[in-house]
Amino acid sequence: MFGRGNCASGMAEVEDLPTMKSKKEKVEMKKAEKEELEEENARMLAAVAFAVVLICIGLPLWWKTTQVYRVALPYEKIASLRAQEEQGLSLKLTLLTIEEARGTQLCADFDTVFRISKLFRISCTNRALNPSEKAVIGGVQNLAELDRLDIIPVEIGNILLVEVPGMLRLTQNQIVLGSKRALFFSSETGAKKLAMVLNEWLLREETITHTLKAMRAPTLAGKSKEARTRVPPTVGSLDILLSLAVPSPEEIKVDWDITAAIEDYLHPFLKEMSSISNFSVKSQVTYFATLGVRKKAVNTIELGPHYAIQEELLPQIISPLEKKIGSHVSTSASLCLVLYIPGCTEAPLHFYTKKGQVVPTNAIISARWGGLVVLNPPKHACKNDDEPAEMRVQTLKVMGLFLAQLRQLLGIPELDPIPSAEMLPLMEAEPRLWEIDSLMRTRALEQVTSATLTLQSLSKLLGQIGNIVIGDEVGRSIFVATEHAHRAEALLSQGHLKEGFDVARVAFLESESAFTDPSLLALLYFPDDQKYAVYIPLFLPVMIPVLMSLKTIKNWIFKKLGKSKRD
Amino acid sequence: MYFFKIALMVAICSLSNVKTQTTHTNNWAVLVDTSRFWFNYRHVANVLSIYRSVKRLGIPDSQIILMVADDMACNPRNPRPATVFNNANQHINVYGDDVEVDYRGYEVTVENFVRLLTGRLPPGTPRSKQLLTDEGSNVLVYLTGHGGDGFLKFQDSEEITSQELADALEQMWEKRRYHEIFFMIDTCQAASMYEKFYSPNILAVASSLVGEDSLSHHVDPAIGVYIIDRYTYFALDFLEKVEPDSKQSMGEFLKVCPKQVCISTVGVRKDLFPRDPYKTPITDFFGALRPMEFTWAGLNLTEKNAKESALDKRIEKTTKSRMQYVQQFPTELFDDAKSFKL
């Protein structure tokens, strides 16, 4: 390399360098390229890892953890409650006739008449009276004895019709409705009359249908008297508050054994009614509670000088009186029965109708509130001016009026008379058994309808607002209510009145507790626009680089795949 | 001729019946004041004045829910402590000594208001804080405070939107918790609050339309703040002349406060209300008349004699041993003086 011709050796050196350089360089370049590739790989893998963790793991995790806790509700089952709008009530009529043929004929007639009934399904069985029964009926002396007979046991909700041979010796009327579940008719009665008595007094289909229609669509139901006086189903027990109101105790001293009155007359009545709802009785004596309306001093021939309250002023009585009575102390619904004893200066007090007629009972009643009876002190008691008059309350008369009012307030109606048919008069406090049956039917249907409406409204609300929390308690109540509503409908349509009523009551109470649960407040949920306001500042800065690098990752992957294909 | 006379009489009687026919069974009132601070004295005076009118016309305290967000009577800036006046001549102290406020101070929140209306209160809420209406109740709802387009401000920190209010009233309808509602609102842009209502049987009146402000009436220089708002001032003027047996109608009440005196236009929403307001008596919402009927016959009960005597004996026994006089000086302690040791 040294000593050869200058030019030649120099040229040789010059020529060698580039090849040597390129070899070294090539190796170095390849190394650098490989490193770069590895770096790029690492970068891309890191980006892929980010994307995978954020999108495939993070996103579902976030979705799952921010899910609102909702118990799955039986929406279809609740919706299917609506389909049975015509509630079927089933009833069994048992016919006992002298001749079996007559019974069969009557049953056939009843089938035809009640086939058009939408609410009731009547099934009729009949047989002839056997000789012992005939003898027993024949030995009866009067209607009261007939009523006390227990010919065959009758289940709750069913009716027994007995043909009485020789009814004429007991009564002029063709049909007699007893205090238990039996109806007595004479041999001359036709099926049409019997069906009318059954329909208007016992079944009362029109009233029930009207009540249910009013519950479903109150705006269309109209403003009839039944709509106003309807007793809505109550959660919990009903309070009955018995008050003795004495506005001027300095003028008159009242002696009334309230405890005995309640125990003798009110408790037996409420005991029979306890199968329908719970009651609690409270009593008090209130002083200085006045009626607060203008009284007119009048003088008539029959009553002498007295004070009159006109019918137009009656609506103003209750509110001021109620402040003293204090029925708002407890949270349960209450009915007030007030006995008002006017003092000597405002006695005697009488109510007058719009037409100017005196009301002999001096008793007024307001639906859903209670009743007021005014008892005037006897004339001789007020004669002495020096000392207060003494007065003893006639418990029988007062409790008779209170019981009549309480029956109306609790839903036992006053039935219109039907010619040649009579109801045996009620001589004691307990209600008639068929009245309780009738009330039970109405209440059971009302409670099922109320539960249905509540559940449907609740399912609509919870379905519409997707992020209200449905807790376990609420979910359980809704499930139980739906199950029981279905079962109640089935039981009622099969004729089991008592079980159907109990199940309907559970359905009603559970649906009420689900609807009024404090956790179902729309304000507590997370509305959508607020969701965006919270999540966007958190996630957007993180997601933007990831999303932007997705394109680069895609290109790199395709490049890699293309290269491996070529290779 | 005879027939015609009778027909005419029947027609007249039925017409007059239509006017006074009430189908509700009881009345409730929900009166809400939503604003705090001393300079909102007029809102408290508003709501207390309506409270007084409603009480005077017969609705008992047990059926009025009064929600007042701040205490003006005992505010340290009140130059006349324990009083709230609604007029500069300070004739009537609307606070009085028998006011019953059910939700006071910080309890007046949107959540409590919606819970009250829908009935979803926690168990153990006292009865005076519950709205125990049923399907025969006519409810008067009165709101006052600061409002805007579509919202009402509560306590200067939260708002209730008109949609929430409409939903709450719909929940009330679903559970049949009212028969008819009369909705009165005295705030700025008040009409926006009733625009979203969609439940039936609601009659609504607002002191101003959307885009308008409701203005206050006058200042009391002795107290130093505005005392009452214009709409409520004129509404009270009308209500002062109403008695429990008045025959005035809701239609006349809706016409109170014309634009010349109120400056803002009173808005009314009648499309959800089935009856004609001119045929609806004002006592349907402001009074407490309950329909009554006569009981013509009682039950003929048989007397229970034996039981009664037993009860008499029991009562005699208890009354005998109940009370006796205590000796003025316990001499029995000193009867045997020797045995009395210290």
Side-chain angles (χ1 to χ4, degrees):
Chain A
M1 277 164 286
F2 297 104
R4 274 193 212 154
N6 284 341
C7 301
S9 56
M11 290 297 275
E13 275 178 21
V14 169
E15 271 176 25
D16 272 333
L17 228 70
T19 36
M20 263 201 316
K21 201 176 170 190
S22 61
K23 240 195 229 163
K24 232 194 198 170
E25 260 186 8
K26 260 196 197 153
V27 167
E28 269 177 26
M29 261 171 61
K30 246 200 174 165
K31 229 197 241 172
E33 234 180 65
K34 213 176 172 190
E35 266 177 32
E36 225 181 83
L37 212 66
E38 268 178 27
E39 225 179 84
E40 198 190 334
N41 274 2
R43 244 199 349 259
M44 283 304 161
L45 280 176
V48 168
F50 262 112
V52 160
V53 166
L54 274 177
I55 296 176
C56 302
I57 302 177
L59 216 60
L61 196 68
W62 165 78
W63 187 258
K64 189 89 197 341
T65 47
T66 53
Q67 212 177 42
V68 171
Y69 182 73
R70 282 169 80 92
V71 173
L73 295 179
Y75 291 108
E76 307 79 28
K77 278 198 113 179
I78 296 176
S80 72
L81 281 171
R82 178 198 285 273
Q84 296 166 308
E85 275 211 349
E86 291 174 352
Q87 307 277 359
L89 278 176
S90 190
L91 199 68
K92 270 203 211 77
L93 292 178
T94 316
L95 231 59
L96 292 176
T97 47
I98 307 170
E99 308 277 323
E100 193 157 339
R102 176 125 200 272
T104 329
Q105 176 60 39
L106 280 172
C107 264
D109 290 334
F110 284 152
D111 276 334
T112 353
V113 168
F114 289 114
R115 198 174 303 157
I116 55 167
S117 154
K118 285 202 207 107
L119 203 57
F120 285 97
R121 257 200 315 261
I122 312 276
S123 67
C124 186
T125 53
N126 69 298
R127 69 167 170 84
L129 288 165
N130 54 36
S132 62
E133 287 166 353
K134 269 195 215 161
V136 162
I137 297 178
V140 155
Q141 300 298 324
N142 51 27
L143 282 175
E145 264 187 50
L146 185 66
D147 189 28
R148 280 196 288 270
L149 284 182
D150 231 344
I151 305 176
I152 53 170
V154 188
E155 242 185 44
I156 297 182
N158 298 335
I159 304 171
L160 174 70
L161 293 101
V162 181
E163 183 178 358
V164 175
M167 183 99 148
L168 213 56
R169 67 187 168 92
L170 298 168
T171 172
Q172 290 286 341
N173 291 315
Q174 286 181 351
I175 304 178
V176 172
L177 189 52
S179 332
K180 299 190 197 162
R181 299 182 174 97
L183 187 140
F184 304 98
F185 61 99
S186 68
S187 312
E188 295 89 31
T189 321
K192 208 171 103 184
K193 193 117 211 146
L194 281 171
M196 186 157 77
V197 168
L198 280 175
N199 219 352
E200 287 183 24
W201 283 359
L202 290 158
L203 301 178
R204 305 189 54 240
E205 181 175 345
E206 222 180 278
T207 320
I208 299 181
T209 325
H210 186 93
T211 308
L212 294 180
K213 219 186 282 186
M215 284 182 82
R216 290 211 145 90
T219 41
L220 306 168
K223 316 201 184 226
S224 63
K225 183 174 161 209
E226 282 143 350
R228 255 192 300 127
T229 55
R230 200 173 78 71
V231 182
T234 50
V235 176
S237 71
L238 195 60
D239 277 350
I240 298 190
L241 184 58
L242 198 61
S243 315
L244 172 63
V246 184
S248 356
E250 72 276 10
E251 290 173 13
I252 190 158
K253 230 168 64 169
V254 184
D255 173 26
W256 187 25
D257 194 353
I258 302 187
T259 323
I262 292 178
E263 272 199 31
D264 289 341
Y265 303 106
L266 209 50
H267 275 170
F269 175 76
L270 293 177
K271 198 161 139 244
E272 291 294 317
M273 296 290 283
S274 62
S275 54
I276 297 183
S277 84
N278 296 329
F279 296 98
S280 85
V281 182
K282 303 185 219 174
S283 61
Q284 63 175 347
V285 181
T286 320
Y287 296 110
F288 302 113
T290 53
L291 285 185
V293 284
R294 284 194 303 267
K295 304 173 193 61
K296 220 164 59 167
V298 290
N299 196 336
T300 60
I301 312 164
E302 307 96 19
L303 298 165
H306 63 275
Y307 291 94
I309 298 183
Q310 302 291 332
E311 190 175 345
E312 293 86 24
L313 297 174
L314 287 183
Q316 299 172 25
I317 288 184
I318 295 185
S319 299
L321 193 62
E322 214 180 354
K323 283 187 214 161
K324 285 290 166 98
I325 301 290
S327 58
H328 54 268
V329 168
S330 77
T331 45
S332 14
S334 66
L335 293 173
C336 305
L337 299 172
V338 183
L339 176 63
Y340 185 83
I341 314 276
C344 284
T345 44
E346 56 172 3
L349 196 56
H350 290 279
F351 290 119
Y352 275 78
T353 63
K354 276 199 194 102
K355 303 190 191 97
Q357 199 188 352
V358 178
V359 181
T361 49
N362 256 356
I364 48 180
I365 184 176
S366 177
R368 293 190 203 157
W369 176 77
L372 171 77
V373 173
V374 173
L375 195 63
N376 291 314
K379 281 202 185 86
H380 60 86
C382 270
K383 291 244 162 58
N384 209 338
D385 273 338
D386 308 336
E387 36 184 65
E390 288 204 8
M391 176 182 170
R392 199 183 170 91
V393 172
Q394 309 134 295
T395 307
L396 211 60
K397 178 174 158 217
V398 168
M399 291 312 286
L401 282 167
F402 276 153
L403 278 173
Q405 289 180 335
L406 198 57
R407 280 160 58 93
Q408 227 180 322
L409 289 165
L410 291 175
I412 302 177
E414 307 257 319
L415 296 166
D416 294 326
I418 296 180
S420 68
E422 71 175 277
M423 262 188 277
L424 288 179
L426 207 53
M427 297 305 274
E428 28 177 55
E430 288 94 344
R432 302 179 179 109
L433 290 178
W434 53 265
E435 284 174 340
I436 303 183
D437 284 355
S438 205
L439 201 56
M440 211 185 271
R441 268 182 225 122
T442 321
R443 290 271 173 276
L445 285 180
E446 272 180 9
Q447 283 172 349
V448 172
T449 312
S450 171
T452 309
L453 291 172
T454 310
L455 286 169
Q456 281 167 358
S457 142
L458 200 55
S459 81
K460 194 170 82 170
L461 171 77
L462 295 174
Q464 265 175 1
I465 304 179
N467 35 13
I468 270 191
V469 174
I470 306 178
D472 283 329
E473 208 29 65
V474 177
R476 188 201 66 85
S477 294
I478 295 181
F479 264 107
V480 170
T482 323
E483 286 295 320
H484 278 76
H486 274 290
R487 239 180 78 208
E489 283 178 357
L491 284 171
L492 288 173
S493 60
Q494 284 159 16
H496 306 292
L497 185 56
K498 185 83 179 69
E499 295 89 18
F501 175 81
D502 290 332
V503 172
R505 183 140 184 89
V506 174
F508 169 69
L509 291 173
E510 288 291 332
S511 68
E512 288 289 313
S513 95
F515 194 93
T516 53
D517 195 87
S519 69
L520 289 179
L521 195 64
L523 287 175
L524 298 175
Y525 70 86
F526 207 5
D528 286 330
D529 47 350
Q530 289 189 13
K531 255 196 209 140
Y532 296 139
V534 171
Y535 288 138
I536 286 180
L538 280 177
F539 288 153
L540 210 57
V542 175
M543 293 302 280
I544 283 180
V546 172
L547 292 172
M548 285 197 334
S549 66
L550 278 179
K551 188 155 178 271
T552 343
I553 293 179
K554 193 185 83 174
N555 290 341
W556 171 74
I557 289 182
F558 278 140
K559 196 173 78 182
K560 262 209 116 165
L561 284 175
K563 213 167 119 191
S564 58
K565 248 204 213 157
R566 264 188 289 127
D567 284 339
Chain B
M1 186 58 203
Y2 204 29
F3 254 179
F4 181 69
K5 263 200 212 160
I6 291 184
L8 196 64
M9 270 173 60
V10 167
I12 292 175
C13 287
S14 61
L15 274 180
S16 59
N17 269 347
V18 162
K19 174 157 184 178
T20 53
Q21 190 182 48
T22 49
T23 49
H24 66 283
T25 54
N26 54 19
N27 284 75
W28 284 73
V30 177
L31 311 172
V32 184
D33 156 51
T34 58
S35 53
R36 321 185 53 78
F37 308 128
W38 173 246
F39 50 82
N40 290 323
Y41 183 103
R42 61 189 184 283
H43 297 141
V44 175
N46 281 354
V47 78
L48 287 177
S49 315
I50 300 281
Y51 170 75
R52 290 271 155 228
S53 300
V54 145
K55 248 176 93 154
R56 183 179 62 83
L57 291 172
I59 304 186
D61 268 313
S62 55
Q63 286 168 220
I64 303 180
I65 308 274
L66 181 61
M67 301 173 74
V68 179
D70 201 0
D71 194 359
M72 297 305 165
C74 299
N75 194 305
R77 293 169 73 169
N78 193 345
R80 306 283 305 273
T83 60
V84 172
F85 294 108
N86 64 356
N87 205 310
N89 51 25
Q90 294 184 3
H91 280 164
I92 323 166
N93 170 16
V94 287
Y95 200 67
D97 52 4
D98 61 343
V99 64
E100 282 186 25
V101 180
D102 300 302
Y103 285 84
R104 61 190 68 226
Y106 287 109
E107 289 172 355
V108 179
T109 57
V110 175
E111 183 184 332
N112 280 350
F113 182 57
V114 175
R115 280 192 192 280
L116 174 81
L117 288 181
T118 54
R120 296 194 173 113
L121 289 158
T125 313
R127 171 151 172 163
S128 58
K129 283 190 164 157
Q130 291 183 33
L131 189 64
L132 296 169
T133 49
D134 55 42
E135 56 180 59
S137 309
N138 273 8
V139 188
L140 167 73
V141 180
Y142 177 80
L143 302 175
T144 184
H146 287 289
D149 190 0
F151 67 90
L152 174 63
K153 197 168 72 158
F154 265 69
Q155 301 273 12
D156 211 31
S157 63
E158 49 180 5
E159 306 144 0
I160 187 170
T161 56
S162 50
Q163 185 62 50
E164 276 167 11
L165 191 56
D167 288 338
L169 292 178
E170 174 65 15
Q171 289 284 292
M172 277 181 86
W173 177 250
E174 293 278 326
K175 273 321 273 172
R176 312 282 180 257
R177 278 160 64 84
Y178 69 87
H179 178 245
E180 285 169 351
I181 286 186
F182 181 52
F183 183 78
M184 269 175 82
I185 178 163
D186 188 356
T187 67
C188 300
Q189 307 198 53
S192 62
M193 288 306 282
Y194 64 55
E195 268 164 11
K196 293 254 172 72
F197 288 172
Y198 54 97
S199 318
N201 292 358
I202 301 183
L203 179 64
V205 68
S207 61
S208 56
L209 298 176
V210 176
E212 289 179 348
D213 285 339
S214 282
L215 302 169
S216 47
H217 194 252
H218 63 272
V219 173
D220 183 354
I223 296 185
V225 280
Y226 281 96
I227 284 273
I228 193 157
D229 279 335
R230 281 178 188 259
Y231 180 73
T232 308
Y233 179 82
F234 289 104
L236 283 172
D237 212 18
F238 183 90
L239 288 175
E240 290 296 316
K241 303 186 192 91
V242 174
E243 292 299 321
D245 52 0
S246 287
K247 298 270 179 291
Q248 278 133 317
S249 69
M250 288 301 293
E252 294 163 36
F253 184 72
L254 295 175
K255 286 269 167 298
V256 87
C257 206
K259 194 156 165 121
Q260 310 88 279
V261 284
C262 243
I263 303 176
S264 55
T265 325
V266 169
V268 174
R269 183 157 180 198
K270 310 193 258 220
D271 59 317
L272 295 167
F273 194 63
R275 301 193 274 163
D276 181 4
Y278 281 97
K279 293 211 182 73
T280 313
I282 195 160
T283 46
D284 264 9
F285 293 106
F286 285 93
L289 301 177
R290 298 189 86 135
M292 303 219 74
E293 282 159 11
F294 292 114
T295 307
W296 290 96
L299 292 181
N300 287 327
L301 298 171
T302 47
E303 204 167 327
K304 303 217 172 161
N305 272 316
K307 256 191 170 180
E308 225 169 358
S309 59
L311 215 60
D312 272 333
K313 278 198 200 132
R314 179 157 58 93
I315 290 177
E316 253 183 58
K317 239 193 263 176
T318 48
T319 45
K320 256 192 204 156
S321 58
R322 235 192 355 210
M323 291 193 274
Q324 57 183 15
Y325 280 109
V326 178
Q327 275 208 314
Q328 226 177 10
F329 191 75
T331 50
E332 67 264 15
L333 285 177
F334 303 102
D335 274 344
D336 198 0
K338 290 184 192 124
S339 62
F340 189 68
K341 292 189 176 87
L342 278 167

